[in-house]
Amino acid sequence: MKKLPRKFFERSTLEVAGDLVGKVLVFGDKKAVITETEAYFGDDPASHGSRGVTKRNFPMFGPAGHTYVYFIYGMYFCLNITTEKEGFPAAVLIRGVRVLDTNELFNGPGKLCSHLGITKKHNDIDVCRSGLVYVADAGIKLKAKKTPRVGIKKNAHKKWRFVAV
DNA sequence: GAATAGATCCGC
DNA sequence: CGGATCTATTCA
Protein backbone atom coordinates (compact mmCIF):
# COMPACT_ATOMS: atom_id res chain seq x y z
CA MET A 1 0.00 0.00 0.00
CA LYS A 2 1.14 3.50 -0.80
CA LYS A 3 1.35 5.95 2.07
CA LEU A 4 -0.26 9.23 1.08
CA PRO A 5 2.24 12.11 0.76
CA ARG A 6 1.80 15.52 2.36
CA LYS A 7 0.93 16.86 -1.08
CA PHE A 8 -2.33 14.89 -0.90
CA PHE A 9 -3.42 16.82 2.21
CA GLU A 10 -2.26 20.24 1.03
CA ARG A 11 -5.15 20.59 -1.41
CA SER A 12 -8.55 22.16 -0.71
CA THR A 13 -10.29 20.58 2.27
CA LEU A 14 -13.37 19.60 0.27
CA GLU A 15 -11.25 17.73 -2.29
CA VAL A 16 -9.28 15.93 0.41
CA ALA A 17 -12.43 15.00 2.31
CA GLY A 18 -13.97 13.52 -0.82
CA ASP A 19 -10.78 11.69 -1.83
CA LEU A 20 -10.24 10.20 1.63
CA VAL A 21 -13.35 8.06 1.23
CA GLY A 22 -12.02 4.66 0.14
CA LYS A 23 -8.50 5.29 1.48
CA VAL A 24 -7.11 3.10 4.27
CA LEU A 25 -6.51 4.49 7.74
CA VAL A 26 -3.64 2.63 9.41
CA PHE A 27 -3.52 2.82 13.20
CA GLY A 28 -0.89 0.57 14.74
CA ASP A 29 -1.65 -2.93 13.50
CA LYS A 30 -5.21 -2.02 12.57
CA LYS A 31 -6.27 -1.03 9.08
CA ALA A 32 -9.65 0.46 8.23
CA VAL A 33 -11.25 1.76 5.05
CA ILE A 34 -12.61 5.27 5.49
CA THR A 35 -16.29 5.36 4.61
CA GLU A 36 -17.41 8.75 5.88
CA THR A 37 -15.76 12.17 6.30
CA GLU A 38 -16.70 15.80 6.92
CA ALA A 39 -14.85 19.01 6.03
CA TYR A 40 -14.21 21.85 8.49
CA PHE A 41 -12.18 24.84 7.38
CA GLY A 42 -11.73 28.60 7.32
CA ASP A 43 -14.28 30.84 9.02
CA ASP A 44 -17.08 28.25 8.89
CA PRO A 45 -18.80 28.92 12.25
CA ALA A 46 -19.20 25.16 12.81
CA SER A 47 -15.43 24.71 12.69
CA HIS A 48 -13.31 24.92 15.81
CA GLY A 49 -10.82 27.00 13.87
CA SER A 50 -13.25 29.76 12.94
CA ARG A 51 -12.43 31.98 15.91
CA GLY A 52 -8.67 31.87 15.92
CA VAL A 53 -6.10 29.51 17.33
CA THR A 54 -6.70 28.10 20.83
CA LYS A 55 -5.15 25.48 23.07
CA ARG A 56 -7.51 22.85 21.64
CA ASN A 57 -7.51 23.53 17.92
CA PHE A 58 -3.87 24.43 17.27
CA PRO A 59 -3.21 21.43 14.98
CA MET A 60 -5.81 22.80 12.55
CA PHE A 61 -3.55 25.80 12.04
CA GLY A 62 -0.42 23.71 11.59
CA PRO A 63 0.88 22.05 8.42
CA ALA A 64 -1.29 19.59 6.48
CA GLY A 65 -1.15 15.90 7.25
CA HIS A 66 -1.31 16.06 11.04
CA THR A 67 -3.89 14.44 13.29
CA TYR A 68 -6.25 16.61 15.35
CA VAL A 69 -7.89 14.63 18.15
CA TYR A 70 -10.28 16.37 20.54
CA PHE A 71 -12.45 15.30 23.44
CA ILE A 72 -16.15 16.08 23.18
CA TYR A 73 -19.28 15.72 25.34
CA GLY A 74 -17.23 14.36 28.22
CA MET A 75 -17.04 10.88 26.67
CA TYR A 76 -15.82 10.75 23.11
CA PHE A 77 -12.78 11.49 21.01
CA CYS A 78 -12.96 12.61 17.41
CA LEU A 79 -10.20 12.09 14.87
CA ASN A 80 -9.37 14.67 12.20
CA ILE A 81 -6.57 15.04 9.69
CA THR A 82 -5.43 18.58 8.95
CA THR A 83 -5.32 19.96 5.42
CA GLU A 84 -4.27 23.00 3.39
CA LYS A 85 -1.37 25.24 4.23
CA GLU A 86 0.11 26.16 7.59
CA GLY A 87 -1.66 29.13 9.19
CA PHE A 88 -5.04 28.31 7.62
CA PRO A 89 -7.45 26.41 9.89
CA ALA A 90 -8.66 23.29 8.10
CA ALA A 91 -9.23 19.61 8.86
CA VAL A 92 -11.21 16.56 7.75
CA LEU A 93 -13.22 14.74 10.42
CA ILE A 94 -13.13 10.94 10.04
CA ARG A 95 -16.70 9.91 10.82
CA GLY A 96 -16.84 6.27 9.73
CA VAL A 97 -14.54 3.35 8.90
CA ARG A 98 -14.76 -0.32 8.03
CA VAL A 99 -12.03 -2.40 9.68
CA LEU A 100 -10.26 -4.78 7.31
CA ASP A 101 -9.97 -8.43 8.41
CA THR A 102 -12.86 -8.29 10.88
CA ASN A 103 -15.15 -6.30 8.59
CA GLU A 104 -16.49 -4.38 11.59
CA LEU A 105 -18.25 -1.16 10.68
CA PHE A 106 -17.92 1.92 12.88
CA ASN A 107 -20.31 4.65 11.82
CA GLY A 108 -19.57 7.63 14.04
CA PRO A 109 -16.45 9.52 15.12
CA GLY A 110 -16.83 8.67 18.80
CA LYS A 111 -17.34 4.97 18.14
CA LEU A 112 -14.41 4.53 15.81
CA CYS A 113 -12.05 6.31 18.20
CA SER A 114 -13.06 4.26 21.21
CA HIS A 115 -12.86 0.97 19.28
CA LEU A 116 -9.52 1.72 17.63
CA GLY A 117 -8.12 3.14 20.86
CA ILE A 118 -7.54 6.67 19.59
CA THR A 119 -7.06 9.19 22.41
CA LYS A 120 -5.62 12.63 23.07
CA LYS A 121 -2.18 10.99 23.06
CA HIS A 122 -2.54 10.76 19.32
CA ASN A 123 -3.16 14.47 18.86
CA ASP A 124 -0.93 16.39 16.45
CA ILE A 125 0.88 13.40 14.92
CA ASP A 126 2.46 13.90 11.49
CA VAL A 127 0.85 11.12 9.44
CA CYS A 128 3.35 11.65 6.63
CA ARG A 129 6.25 10.73 8.92
CA SER A 130 4.75 8.46 11.57
CA GLY A 131 4.84 4.72 11.07
CA LEU A 132 2.12 4.31 13.69
CA VAL A 133 -0.67 6.42 12.24
CA TYR A 134 -1.01 7.14 8.55
CA VAL A 135 -3.31 6.94 5.54
CA ALA A 136 -2.62 4.73 2.54
CA ASP A 137 -4.00 4.10 -0.92
CA ALA A 138 -4.96 0.45 -1.30
CA GLY A 139 -6.35 0.95 -4.77
CA ILE A 140 -9.92 0.75 -3.50
CA LYS A 141 -12.34 2.79 -5.58
CA LEU A 142 -15.33 4.10 -3.67
CA LYS A 143 -17.71 6.74 -4.88
CA ALA A 144 -18.48 9.46 -2.35
CA LYS A 145 -21.85 11.12 -2.02
CA LYS A 146 -22.18 14.71 -0.72
CA THR A 147 -24.70 15.23 2.06
CA PRO A 148 -25.26 17.84 4.81
CA ARG A 149 -23.06 17.51 7.89
CA VAL A 150 -24.60 16.09 11.02
CA GLY A 151 -24.42 17.01 14.71
CA ILE A 152 -23.93 20.74 14.16
CA LYS A 153 -26.27 23.72 14.26
CA LYS A 154 -24.25 26.35 12.44
CA ASN A 155 -23.91 26.13 8.67
CA ALA A 156 -25.78 22.82 8.80
CA HIS A 157 -27.11 23.19 5.26
CA LYS A 158 -23.66 22.99 3.65
CA LYS A 159 -23.11 19.63 1.94
CA TRP A 160 -19.64 19.07 3.34
CA ARG A 161 -20.11 15.46 4.43
CA PHE A 162 -18.91 12.63 2.19
CA VAL A 163 -20.33 9.12 2.53
CA ALA A 164 -19.36 6.01 0.56
CA VAL A 165 -22.23 4.80 -1.57
C1' DG B 1 -13.88 32.27 38.93
C1' DA B 2 -18.32 30.60 37.14
C1' DA B 3 -21.27 29.37 33.44
C1' DT B 4 -22.22 26.96 29.28
C1' DA B 5 -22.18 24.90 24.84
C1' DG B 6 -20.45 21.15 22.50
C1' DA B 7 -18.05 18.13 15.00
C1' DT B 8 -21.72 12.17 20.25
C1' DC B 9 -24.06 7.97 21.49
C1' DC B 10 -27.51 5.10 23.70
C1' DG B 11 -31.69 3.88 25.78
C1' DC B 12 -36.47 4.84 26.43
C1' DC C 1 -36.09 13.07 23.09
C1' DG C 2 -33.31 13.39 27.33
C1' DG C 3 -29.27 11.90 30.03
C1' DA C 4 -24.40 10.83 30.67
C1' DT C 5 -20.21 13.37 31.63
C1' DC C 6 -16.17 16.81 31.30
C1' DT C 7 -13.36 20.23 29.08
C1' DA C 8 -12.06 24.39 26.67
C1' DT C 9 -13.76 28.62 25.87
C1' DT C 10 -16.35 32.53 26.98
C1' DC C 11 -18.11 35.84 30.05
C1' DA C 12 -18.38 38.69 34.14
PDB file of all heavy atoms in Angstrom, chain A residues 112-146:
ATOM      1  N   LEU A 112     -15.629   5.028  16.429  1.00  0.00           N
ATOM      2  CA  LEU A 112     -14.411   4.526  15.805  1.00  0.00           C
ATOM      3  C   LEU A 112     -13.191   4.832  16.662  1.00  0.00           C
ATOM      4  O   LEU A 112     -12.273   4.016  16.741  1.00  0.00           O
ATOM      5  CB  LEU A 112     -14.273   5.050  14.374  1.00  0.00           C
ATOM      6  CG  LEU A 112     -13.705   6.429  14.071  1.00  0.00           C
ATOM      7  CD1 LEU A 112     -12.204   6.422  13.946  1.00  0.00           C
ATOM      8  CD2 LEU A 112     -14.297   6.911  12.764  1.00  0.00           C
ATOM      9  N   CYS A 113     -13.188   5.967  17.348  1.00  0.00           N
ATOM     10  CA  CYS A 113     -12.055   6.308  18.200  1.00  0.00           C
ATOM     11  C   CYS A 113     -11.975   5.384  19.408  1.00  0.00           C
ATOM     12  O   CYS A 113     -10.901   4.919  19.773  1.00  0.00           O
ATOM     13  CB  CYS A 113     -12.130   7.766  18.652  1.00  0.00           C
ATOM     14  SG  CYS A 113     -11.666   8.919  17.364  1.00  0.00           S
ATOM     15  N   SER A 114     -13.111   5.111  20.027  1.00  0.00           N
ATOM     16  CA  SER A 114     -13.064   4.262  21.214  1.00  0.00           C
ATOM     17  C   SER A 114     -12.708   2.824  20.830  1.00  0.00           C
ATOM     18  O   SER A 114     -12.002   2.143  21.559  1.00  0.00           O
ATOM     19  CB  SER A 114     -14.384   4.318  21.974  1.00  0.00           C
ATOM     20  OG  SER A 114     -15.417   3.753  21.216  1.00  0.00           O
ATOM     21  N   HIS A 115     -13.161   2.341  19.682  1.00  0.00           N
ATOM     22  CA  HIS A 115     -12.856   0.972  19.280  1.00  0.00           C
ATOM     23  C   HIS A 115     -11.422   0.812  18.789  1.00  0.00           C
ATOM     24  O   HIS A 115     -10.803  -0.216  19.011  1.00  0.00           O
ATOM     25  CB  HIS A 115     -13.830   0.490  18.210  1.00  0.00           C
ATOM     26  CG  HIS A 115     -15.160   0.105  18.759  1.00  0.00           C
ATOM     27  ND1 HIS A 115     -16.242   0.981  18.765  1.00  0.00           N
ATOM     28  CD2 HIS A 115     -15.593  -1.019  19.349  1.00  0.00           C
ATOM     29  CE1 HIS A 115     -17.266   0.367  19.339  1.00  0.00           C
ATOM     30  NE2 HIS A 115     -16.917  -0.826  19.704  1.00  0.00           N
ATOM     31  N   LEU A 116     -10.895   1.816  18.105  1.00  0.00           N
ATOM     32  CA  LEU A 116      -9.521   1.715  17.627  1.00  0.00           C
ATOM     33  C   LEU A 116      -8.535   2.105  18.711  1.00  0.00           C
ATOM     34  O   LEU A 116      -7.347   1.847  18.596  1.00  0.00           O
ATOM     35  CB  LEU A 116      -9.316   2.597  16.387  1.00  0.00           C
ATOM     36  CG  LEU A 116     -10.080   2.172  15.131  1.00  0.00           C
ATOM     37  CD1 LEU A 116      -9.775   3.121  13.982  1.00  0.00           C
ATOM     38  CD2 LEU A 116      -9.728   0.751  14.739  1.00  0.00           C
ATOM     39  N   GLY A 117      -9.011   2.740  19.779  1.00  0.00           N
ATOM     40  CA  GLY A 117      -8.117   3.143  20.860  1.00  0.00           C
ATOM     41  C   GLY A 117      -7.438   4.473  20.622  1.00  0.00           C
ATOM     42  O   GLY A 117      -6.345   4.722  21.113  1.00  0.00           O
ATOM     43  N   ILE A 118      -8.098   5.342  19.868  1.00  0.00           N
ATOM     44  CA  ILE A 118      -7.543   6.672  19.591  1.00  0.00           C
ATOM     45  C   ILE A 118      -7.874   7.605  20.750  1.00  0.00           C
ATOM     46  O   ILE A 118      -9.028   7.698  21.156  1.00  0.00           O
ATOM     47  CB  ILE A 118      -8.125   7.228  18.277  1.00  0.00           C
ATOM     48  CG1 ILE A 118      -7.718   6.322  17.119  1.00  0.00           C
ATOM     49  CG2 ILE A 118      -7.682   8.659  18.051  1.00  0.00           C
ATOM     50  CD1 ILE A 118      -8.433   6.629  15.821  1.00  0.00           C
ATOM     51  N   THR A 119      -6.863   8.260  21.293  1.00  0.00           N
ATOM     52  CA  THR A 119      -7.060   9.187  22.408  1.00  0.00           C
ATOM     53  C   THR A 119      -6.272  10.469  22.163  1.00  0.00           C
ATOM     54  O   THR A 119      -5.629  10.631  21.130  1.00  0.00           O
ATOM     55  CB  THR A 119      -6.581   8.587  23.740  1.00  0.00           C
ATOM     56  OG1 THR A 119      -5.153   8.549  23.725  1.00  0.00           O
ATOM     57  CG2 THR A 119      -7.129   7.196  23.954  1.00  0.00           C
ATOM     58  N   LYS A 120      -6.325  11.343  23.150  1.00  0.00           N
ATOM     59  CA  LYS A 120      -5.621  12.629  23.068  1.00  0.00           C
ATOM     60  C   LYS A 120      -4.116  12.436  22.857  1.00  0.00           C
ATOM     61  O   LYS A 120      -3.436  13.317  22.367  1.00  0.00           O
ATOM     62  CB  LYS A 120      -5.857  13.401  24.367  1.00  0.00           C
ATOM     63  CG  LYS A 120      -6.218  14.849  24.155  1.00  0.00           C
ATOM     64  CD  LYS A 120      -6.459  15.508  25.514  1.00  0.00           C
ATOM     65  CE  LYS A 120      -7.233  16.792  25.362  1.00  0.00           C
ATOM     66  NZ  LYS A 120      -7.983  17.106  26.592  1.00  0.00           N
ATOM     67  N   LYS A 121      -3.598  11.259  23.264  1.00  0.00           N
ATOM     68  CA  LYS A 121      -2.176  10.988  23.056  1.00  0.00           C
ATOM     69  C   LYS A 121      -1.814  11.040  21.575  1.00  0.00           C
ATOM     70  O   LYS A 121      -0.669  11.257  21.224  1.00  0.00           O
ATOM     71  CB  LYS A 121      -1.818   9.590  23.592  1.00  0.00           C
ATOM     72  CG  LYS A 121      -1.619   9.543  25.072  1.00  0.00           C
ATOM     73  CD  LYS A 121      -0.964   8.229  25.488  1.00  0.00           C
ATOM     74  CE  LYS A 121      -1.718   7.026  24.922  1.00  0.00           C
ATOM     75  NZ  LYS A 121      -1.235   5.745  25.492  1.00  0.00           N
ATOM     76  N   HIS A 122      -2.799  10.814  20.749  1.00  0.00           N
ATOM     77  CA  HIS A 122      -2.543  10.764  19.316  1.00  0.00           C
ATOM     78  C   HIS A 122      -2.852  12.079  18.637  1.00  0.00           C
ATOM     79  O   HIS A 122      -3.030  12.129  17.427  1.00  0.00           O
ATOM     80  CB  HIS A 122      -3.352   9.621  18.694  1.00  0.00           C
ATOM     81  CG  HIS A 122      -3.156   8.320  19.410  1.00  0.00           C
ATOM     82  ND1 HIS A 122      -4.107   7.778  20.254  1.00  0.00           N
ATOM     83  CD2 HIS A 122      -2.091   7.490  19.454  1.00  0.00           C
ATOM     84  CE1 HIS A 122      -3.633   6.648  20.763  1.00  0.00           C
ATOM     85  NE2 HIS A 122      -2.419   6.456  20.313  1.00  0.00           N
ATOM     86  N   ASN A 123      -2.925  13.147  19.433  1.00  0.00           N
ATOM     87  CA  ASN A 123      -3.161  14.468  18.857  1.00  0.00           C
ATOM     88  C   ASN A 123      -1.886  15.007  18.228  1.00  0.00           C
ATOM     89  O   ASN A 123      -0.792  14.785  18.743  1.00  0.00           O
ATOM     90  CB  ASN A 123      -3.621  15.428  19.968  1.00  0.00           C
ATOM     91  CG  ASN A 123      -4.123  16.740  19.397  1.00  0.00           C
ATOM     92  OD1 ASN A 123      -4.657  16.789  18.303  1.00  0.00           O
ATOM     93  ND2 ASN A 123      -3.939  17.803  20.158  1.00  0.00           N
ATOM     94  N   ASP A 124      -2.039  15.701  17.101  1.00  0.00           N
ATOM     95  CA  ASP A 124      -0.933  16.390  16.448  1.00  0.00           C
ATOM     96  C   ASP A 124       0.208  15.455  16.044  1.00  0.00           C
ATOM     97  O   ASP A 124       1.366  15.765  16.270  1.00  0.00           O
ATOM     98  CB  ASP A 124      -0.406  17.524  17.346  1.00  0.00           C
ATOM     99  CG  ASP A 124       0.384  18.549  16.539  1.00  0.00           C
ATOM    100  OD1 ASP A 124       0.067  18.748  15.362  1.00  0.00           O
ATOM    101  OD2 ASP A 124       1.341  19.122  17.103  1.00  0.00           O
ATOM    102  N   ILE A 125      -0.130  14.314  15.466  1.00  0.00           N
ATOM    103  CA  ILE A 125       0.885  13.404  14.919  1.00  0.00           C
ATOM    104  C   ILE A 125       1.003  13.656  13.417  1.00  0.00           C
ATOM    105  O   ILE A 125       0.006  13.811  12.724  1.00  0.00           O
ATOM    106  CB  ILE A 125       0.476  11.930  15.155  1.00  0.00           C
ATOM    107  CG1 ILE A 125       0.518  11.597  16.652  1.00  0.00           C
ATOM    108  CG2 ILE A 125       1.384  10.989  14.376  1.00  0.00           C
ATOM    109  CD1 ILE A 125       0.020  10.205  16.966  1.00  0.00           C
ATOM    110  N   ASP A 126       2.220  13.719  12.915  1.00  0.00           N
ATOM    111  CA  ASP A 126       2.459  13.903  11.488  1.00  0.00           C
ATOM    112  C   ASP A 126       2.265  12.566  10.775  1.00  0.00           C
ATOM    113  O   ASP A 126       3.105  11.678  10.869  1.00  0.00           O
ATOM    114  CB  ASP A 126       3.881  14.426  11.278  1.00  0.00           C
ATOM    115  CG  ASP A 126       4.135  14.796   9.828  1.00  0.00           C
ATOM    116  OD1 ASP A 126       3.340  14.381   8.956  1.00  0.00           O
ATOM    117  OD2 ASP A 126       5.123  15.486   9.566  1.00  0.00           O
ATOM    118  N   VAL A 127       1.149  12.411  10.067  1.00  0.00           N
ATOM    119  CA  VAL A 127       0.846  11.121   9.440  1.00  0.00           C
ATOM    120  C   VAL A 127       1.712  10.863   8.205  1.00  0.00           C
ATOM    121  O   VAL A 127       1.687   9.784   7.648  1.00  0.00           O
ATOM    122  CB  VAL A 127      -0.648  11.013   9.039  1.00  0.00           C
ATOM    123  CG1 VAL A 127      -1.544  11.156  10.251  1.00  0.00           C
ATOM    124  CG2 VAL A 127      -1.008  12.021   7.974  1.00  0.00           C
ATOM    125  N   CYS A 128       2.461  11.853   7.774  1.00  0.00           N
ATOM    126  CA  CYS A 128       3.349  11.651   6.634  1.00  0.00           C
ATOM    127  C   CYS A 128       4.706  11.125   7.092  1.00  0.00           C
ATOM    128  O   CYS A 128       5.517  10.683   6.288  1.00  0.00           O
ATOM    129  CB  CYS A 128       3.537  12.953   5.863  1.00  0.00           C
ATOM    130  SG  CYS A 128       1.981  13.655   5.290  1.00  0.00           S
ATOM    131  N   ARG A 129       4.970  11.183   8.398  1.00  0.00           N
ATOM    132  CA  ARG A 129       6.251  10.727   8.916  1.00  0.00           C
ATOM    133  C   ARG A 129       6.094   9.565   9.893  1.00  0.00           C
ATOM    134  O   ARG A 129       6.988   8.735  10.029  1.00  0.00           O
ATOM    135  CB  ARG A 129       6.971  11.872   9.659  1.00  0.00           C
ATOM    136  CG  ARG A 129       7.427  12.982   8.750  1.00  0.00           C
ATOM    137  CD  ARG A 129       7.987  14.145   9.579  1.00  0.00           C
ATOM    138  NE  ARG A 129       8.961  14.925   8.807  1.00  0.00           N
ATOM    139  CZ  ARG A 129      10.238  14.552   8.678  1.00  0.00           C
ATOM    140  NH1 ARG A 129      10.690  13.483   9.271  1.00  0.00           N
ATOM    141  NH2 ARG A 129      11.076  15.282   7.961  1.00  0.00           N
ATOM    142  N   SER A 130       4.950   9.502  10.567  1.00  0.00           N
ATOM    143  CA  SER A 130       4.751   8.461  11.573  1.00  0.00           C
ATOM    144  C   SER A 130       4.537   7.099  10.935  1.00  0.00           C
ATOM    145  O   SER A 130       3.884   6.973   9.898  1.00  0.00           O
ATOM    146  CB  SER A 130       3.534   8.812  12.426  1.00  0.00           C
ATOM    147  OG  SER A 130       3.165   7.698  13.202  1.00  0.00           O
ATOM    148  N   GLY A 131       5.096   6.076  11.525  1.00  0.00           N
ATOM    149  CA  GLY A 131       4.836   4.718  11.068  1.00  0.00           C
ATOM    150  C   GLY A 131       3.674   4.108  11.823  1.00  0.00           C
ATOM    151  O   GLY A 131       3.203   3.023  11.494  1.00  0.00           O
ATOM    152  N   LEU A 132       3.201   4.810  12.842  1.00  0.00           N
ATOM    153  CA  LEU A 132       2.116   4.308  13.690  1.00  0.00           C
ATOM    154  C   LEU A 132       0.747   4.681  13.135  1.00  0.00           C
ATOM    155  O   LEU A 132      -0.155   3.854  13.081  1.00  0.00           O
ATOM    156  CB  LEU A 132       2.271   4.873  15.111  1.00  0.00           C
ATOM    157  CG  LEU A 132       1.174   4.481  16.096  1.00  0.00           C
ATOM    158  CD1 LEU A 132       1.302   3.019  16.472  1.00  0.00           C
ATOM    159  CD2 LEU A 132       1.249   5.357  17.338  1.00  0.00           C
ATOM    160  N   VAL A 133       0.609   5.918  12.740  1.00  0.00           N
ATOM    161  CA  VAL A 133      -0.672   6.415  12.241  1.00  0.00           C
ATOM    162  C   VAL A 133      -0.458   7.043  10.874  1.00  0.00           C
ATOM    163  O   VAL A 133       0.309   7.995  10.745  1.00  0.00           O
ATOM    164  CB  VAL A 133      -1.260   7.485  13.187  1.00  0.00           C
ATOM    165  CG1 VAL A 133      -2.657   7.874  12.731  1.00  0.00           C
ATOM    166  CG2 VAL A 133      -1.293   6.973  14.613  1.00  0.00           C
ATOM    167  N   TYR A 134      -1.098   6.499   9.857  1.00  0.00           N
ATOM    168  CA  TYR A 134      -1.009   7.141   8.548  1.00  0.00           C
ATOM    169  C   TYR A 134      -2.170   6.701   7.668  1.00  0.00           C
ATOM    170  O   TYR A 134      -2.996   5.870   8.056  1.00  0.00           O
ATOM    171  CB  TYR A 134       0.337   6.847   7.877  1.00  0.00           C
ATOM    172  CG  TYR A 134       0.633   5.398   7.644  1.00  0.00           C
ATOM    173  CD1 TYR A 134       0.343   4.803   6.413  1.00  0.00           C
ATOM    174  CD2 TYR A 134       1.234   4.615   8.640  1.00  0.00           C
ATOM    175  CE1 TYR A 134       0.646   3.472   6.191  1.00  0.00           C
ATOM    176  CE2 TYR A 134       1.532   3.288   8.424  1.00  0.00           C
ATOM    177  CZ  TYR A 134       1.230   2.717   7.199  1.00  0.00           C
ATOM    178  OH  TYR A 134       1.512   1.397   6.986  1.00  0.00           O
ATOM    179  N   VAL A 135      -2.236   7.271   6.483  1.00  0.00           N
ATOM    180  CA  VAL A 135      -3.308   6.943   5.543  1.00  0.00           C
ATOM    181  C   VAL A 135      -2.660   6.423   4.268  1.00  0.00           C
ATOM    182  O   VAL A 135      -1.658   6.974   3.810  1.00  0.00           O
ATOM    183  CB  VAL A 135      -4.170   8.180   5.237  1.00  0.00           C
ATOM    184  CG1 VAL A 135      -5.364   7.781   4.376  1.00  0.00           C
ATOM    185  CG2 VAL A 135      -4.644   8.831   6.522  1.00  0.00           C
ATOM    186  N   ALA A 136      -3.224   5.346   3.716  1.00  0.00           N
ATOM    187  CA  ALA A 136      -2.625   4.728   2.540  1.00  0.00           C
ATOM    188  C   ALA A 136      -3.665   4.518   1.448  1.00  0.00           C
ATOM    189  O   ALA A 136      -4.868   4.471   1.710  1.00  0.00           O
ATOM    190  CB  ALA A 136      -2.002   3.393   2.920  1.00  0.00           C
ATOM    191  N   ASP A 137      -3.150   4.407   0.221  1.00  0.00           N
ATOM    192  CA  ASP A 137      -4.004   4.104  -0.920  1.00  0.00           C
ATOM    193  C   ASP A 137      -3.878   2.620  -1.231  1.00  0.00           C
ATOM    194  O   ASP A 137      -2.811   2.139  -1.585  1.00  0.00           O
ATOM    195  CB  ASP A 137      -3.553   4.946  -2.121  1.00  0.00           C
ATOM    196  CG  ASP A 137      -4.539   4.831  -3.271  1.00  0.00           C
ATOM    197  OD1 ASP A 137      -5.377   3.902  -3.246  1.00  0.00           O
ATOM    198  OD2 ASP A 137      -4.477   5.672  -4.183  1.00  0.00           O
ATOM    199  N   ALA A 138      -4.986   1.896  -1.059  1.00  0.00           N
ATOM    200  CA  ALA A 138      -4.960   0.453  -1.302  1.00  0.00           C
ATOM    201  C   ALA A 138      -5.566   0.127  -2.661  1.00  0.00           C
ATOM    202  O   ALA A 138      -5.843  -1.029  -2.970  1.00  0.00           O
ATOM    203  CB  ALA A 138      -5.697  -0.284  -0.200  1.00  0.00           C
ATOM    204  N   GLY A 139      -5.782   1.165  -3.448  1.00  0.00           N
ATOM    205  CA  GLY A 139      -6.353   0.946  -4.772  1.00  0.00           C
ATOM    206  C   GLY A 139      -7.848   0.695  -4.757  1.00  0.00           C
ATOM    207  O   GLY A 139      -8.430   0.299  -5.763  1.00  0.00           O
ATOM    208  N   ILE A 140      -8.476   0.939  -3.608  1.00  0.00           N
ATOM    209  CA  ILE A 140      -9.922   0.749  -3.503  1.00  0.00           C
ATOM    210  C   ILE A 140     -10.631   1.960  -4.112  1.00  0.00           C
ATOM    211  O   ILE A 140     -10.289   3.101  -3.804  1.00  0.00           O
ATOM    212  CB  ILE A 140     -10.346   0.584  -2.020  1.00  0.00           C
ATOM    213  CG1 ILE A 140      -9.629  -0.606  -1.393  1.00  0.00           C
ATOM    214  CG2 ILE A 140     -11.858   0.433  -1.916  1.00  0.00           C
ATOM    215  CD1 ILE A 140      -9.841  -0.713   0.108  1.00  0.00           C
ATOM    216  N   LYS A 141     -11.592   1.677  -4.967  1.00  0.00           N
ATOM    217  CA  LYS A 141     -12.340   2.787  -5.577  1.00  0.00           C
ATOM    218  C   LYS A 141     -13.736   2.828  -4.965  1.00  0.00           C
ATOM    219  O   LYS A 141     -14.529   1.918  -5.123  1.00  0.00           O
ATOM    220  CB  LYS A 141     -12.460   2.584  -7.083  1.00  0.00           C
ATOM    221  CG  LYS A 141     -11.116   2.544  -7.797  1.00  0.00           C
ATOM    222  CD  LYS A 141     -10.581   3.956  -8.043  1.00  0.00           C
ATOM    223  CE  LYS A 141      -9.358   3.935  -8.929  1.00  0.00           C
ATOM    224  NZ  LYS A 141      -8.155   4.458  -8.262  1.00  0.00           N
ATOM    225  N   LEU A 142     -14.004   3.911  -4.230  1.00  0.00           N
ATOM    226  CA  LEU A 142     -15.334   4.102  -3.669  1.00  0.00           C
ATOM    227  C   LEU A 142     -15.853   5.436  -4.152  1.00  0.00           C
ATOM    228  O   LEU A 142     -15.119   6.415  -4.203  1.00  0.00           O
ATOM    229  CB  LEU A 142     -15.289   4.093  -2.136  1.00  0.00           C
ATOM    230  CG  LEU A 142     -15.139   2.747  -1.438  1.00  0.00           C
ATOM    231  CD1 LEU A 142     -15.194   2.943   0.066  1.00  0.00           C
ATOM    232  CD2 LEU A 142     -16.237   1.794  -1.893  1.00  0.00           C
ATOM    233  N   LYS A 143     -17.126   5.466  -4.489  1.00  0.00           N
ATOM    234  CA  LYS A 143     -17.707   6.736  -4.883  1.00  0.00           C
ATOM    235  C   LYS A 143     -18.264   7.425  -3.635  1.00  0.00           C
ATOM    236  O   LYS A 143     -18.894   6.777  -2.797  1.00  0.00           O
ATOM    237  CB  LYS A 143     -18.817   6.507  -5.898  1.00  0.00           C
ATOM    238  CG  LYS A 143     -19.157   7.759  -6.651  1.00  0.00           C
ATOM    239  CD  LYS A 143     -20.194   7.498  -7.738  1.00  0.00           C
ATOM    240  CE  LYS A 143     -20.607   8.840  -8.345  1.00  0.00           C
ATOM    241  NZ  LYS A 143     -21.723   8.684  -9.275  1.00  0.00           N
ATOM    242  N   ALA A 144     -18.009   8.722  -3.511  1.00  0.00           N
ATOM    243  CA  ALA A 144     -18.475   9.464  -2.345  1.00  0.00           C
ATOM    244  C   ALA A 144     -19.680  10.318  -2.716  1.00  0.00           C
ATOM    245  O   ALA A 144     -19.714  10.949  -3.761  1.00  0.00           O
ATOM    246  CB  ALA A 144     -17.353  10.336  -1.797  1.00  0.00           C
ATOM    247  N   LYS A 145     -20.641  10.328  -1.817  1.00  0.00           N
ATOM    248  CA  LYS A 145     -21.847  11.125  -2.024  1.00  0.00           C
ATOM    249  C   LYS A 145     -21.814  12.312  -1.072  1.00  0.00           C
ATOM    250  O   LYS A 145     -21.482  12.166   0.103  1.00  0.00           O
ATOM    251  CB  LYS A 145     -23.054  10.235  -1.736  1.00  0.00           C
ATOM    252  CG  LYS A 145     -24.394  10.878  -1.946  1.00  0.00           C
ATOM    253  CD  LYS A 145     -25.471   9.854  -1.602  1.00  0.00           C
ATOM    254  CE  LYS A 145     -26.855  10.491  -1.628  1.00  0.00           C
ATOM    255  NZ  LYS A 145     -27.875   9.524  -1.212  1.00  0.00           N
ATOM    256  N   LYS A 146     -22.167  13.503  -1.561  1.00  0.00           N
ATOM    257  CA  LYS A 146     -22.175  14.705  -0.717  1.00  0.00           C
ATOM    258  C   LYS A 146     -23.510  14.828  -0.007  1.00  0.00           C
ATOM    259  O   LYS A 146     -24.563  14.767  -0.638  1.00  0.00           O
ATOM    260  CB  LYS A 146     -21.965  15.954  -1.571  1.00  0.00           C
ATOM    261  CG  LYS A 146     -20.559  16.120  -2.087  1.00  0.00           C
ATOM    262  CD  LYS A 146     -20.490  17.255  -3.072  1.00  0.00           C
ATOM    263  CE  LYS A 146     -20.111  18.556  -2.384  1.00  0.00           C
ATOM    264  NZ  LYS A 146     -19.609  19.566  -3.342  1.00  0.00           N
TER     265      LYS A 146
END
